[in-house]
């Protein structure tokens, strides 16, 4: 699958940063803070786009991937308890980006340059492969294989390594591939990145994914 993006270069002091955004707004996704969960509501197109960016984050050790979602409206009525809307930034552990620098960096991004990346849904680990990745991660008991999570400036920052992104990409792809039963209006598909499953390095909020149609 092809995914159109824009790539930005900016300096903070003497430090160069590369930021990637989708070329067009991901209007089919809304991220909200519904403590004790972050809730990501999305449709099929948004789920495919975010999966592609999720897999890009797995191999991009020096890039911040920014999804501006804050002004979106859910395609379907949102959960009644949802409060607030957030942007999402994905990065690799090695970048060691401090979220408090984000507003300064964001204001320096300019117009960016268009690019197209290719990604293959078949590269996303199957559930059997996910279970094996999880088993190996638990054996290593390594914090580096888990997401570090921060909330700052109305933005959820997730920093992880290739293992952390690959072991969780299947949750998002399944949101994209789900086909609702049109004979049963109101049905939905949901999944959770649960803190108890070892996806996060510290005690924090889980991520609840929901697709209504």
């Amino acid at each position: 699958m092809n995914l159109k993006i824009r790539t930005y270069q900016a300096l903070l002091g003497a430090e160069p940063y590369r930021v990637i955004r989708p070329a067009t707004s991901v209007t089919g996704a809304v991220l909200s803070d519904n403590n004790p969960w972050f809730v990501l509501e999305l449709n099929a197109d948004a789920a495919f786009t975010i999966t592609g960016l999720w897999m890009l984050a797995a191999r991009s050790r020096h890039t911040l991937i920014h999804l501006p979602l804050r002004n979106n409206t859910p395609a379907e009525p949102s959960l009644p308890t949802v409060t607030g809307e957030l942007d999402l930034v994905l990065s690799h552990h090695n970048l060691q980006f401090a979220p408090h620098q984000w507003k300064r960096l964001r204001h320096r991004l300019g117009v960016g340059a268009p690019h197209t990346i290719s990604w293959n849904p078949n590269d996303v680990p199957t559930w059997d492969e996910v279970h094996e990745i999880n088993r190996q991660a638990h054996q290593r008991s390594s914090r580096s294989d888990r997401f570090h999570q921060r909330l700052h400036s109305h933005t959820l920052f997730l920093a992880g390594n290739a293992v952390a992104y690959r072991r969780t990409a299947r949750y998002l792809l399944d949101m994209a591939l789900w086909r609702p039963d049109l004979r049963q209006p109101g049905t939905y598909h949901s999944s959770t990145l649960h803190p108890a499953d070892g996806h996060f390095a510290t005690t924090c909020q889980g991520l609840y994914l929901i697709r209504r149609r």
Side-chain angles (χ1 to χ4, degrees):
M1 299 183 68
N2 290 328
L3 178 59
K4 295 184 181 300
I5 61 171
R6 295 192 75 86
T7 301
Y8 306 78
Q9 305 285 345
L11 288 174
L12 279 181
E15 192 72 26
Y17 287 95
R18 182 173 73 156
V19 177
I20 286 175
R21 287 173 173 157
T24 57
S25 299
V26 186
T27 57
V30 171
L31 178 61
S32 302
D33 184 357
N34 187 30
N35 190 22
W37 293 94
F38 293 110
V39 178
L40 180 59
E41 299 185 60
L42 67 181
N43 62 17
D45 289 343
F48 274 120
T49 296
I50 296 175
T51 304
L53 294 171
W54 208 267
M55 293 295 286
L56 178 62
R59 65 179 191 266
S60 299
R61 300 166 68 91
H62 306 289
T63 302
L64 292 159
I65 297 176
H66 177 215
L67 287 95
L69 305 175
R70 216 184 309 172
N71 295 320
N72 289 354
T73 302
E76 294 286 332
S78 61
L79 299 174
T81 54
V82 163
T83 57
E85 295 172 67
L86 307 170
D87 288 346
L88 178 63
V89 170
L90 310 174
S91 67
H92 195 279
H93 282 313
N94 287 7
L95 191 59
Q96 294 290 303
F97 182 77
H100 72 267
Q101 296 182 314
W102 174 241
K103 288 181 73 173
R104 290 175 56 219
L105 178 61
R106 191 181 62 202
H107 290 153
R108 300 181 182 189
L109 294 183
V111 297
H115 293 278
T116 300
I117 61 171
S118 296
W119 71 282
N120 189 339
N122 291 329
D123 292 337
V124 176
T126 66
W127 280 117
D128 285 344
E129 291 169 332
V130 169
H131 297 324
E132 177 59 21
I133 294 171
N134 288 344
R135 186 188 67 80
Q136 294 175 8
H138 283 302
Q139 284 183 341
R140 288 192 297 270
S141 298
S142 174
R143 289 167 58 90
S144 65
D145 292 340
R146 304 178 182 189
F147 285 116
H148 292 255
Q149 180 191 100
R150 288 284 301 277
L151 184 62
H152 189 79
S153 299
H154 303 289
T155 303
L156 175 61
F157 294 85
L158 291 179
N161 63 3
V163 174
Y165 283 107
R166 286 181 56 78
R167 71 192 289 209
T168 52
R170 172 54 57 177
Y171 292 85
L172 287 156
L173 184 59
D174 276 7
M175 291 290 122
L177 297 176
W178 177 68
R179 294 294 176 262
D181 186 346
L182 299 180
R183 298 168 300 178
Q184 298 184 26
T187 59
Y188 64 91
H189 182 47
S190 65
S191 189
T192 57
L193 300 185
H194 202 290
D197 293 333
H199 293 305
F200 302 98
T202 56
T203 302
C204 57
Q205 295 176 220
L207 181 61
Y208 179 68
L209 308 174
I210 182 167
R211 184 179 156 201
R212 298 185 182 278
R213 65 179 176 89

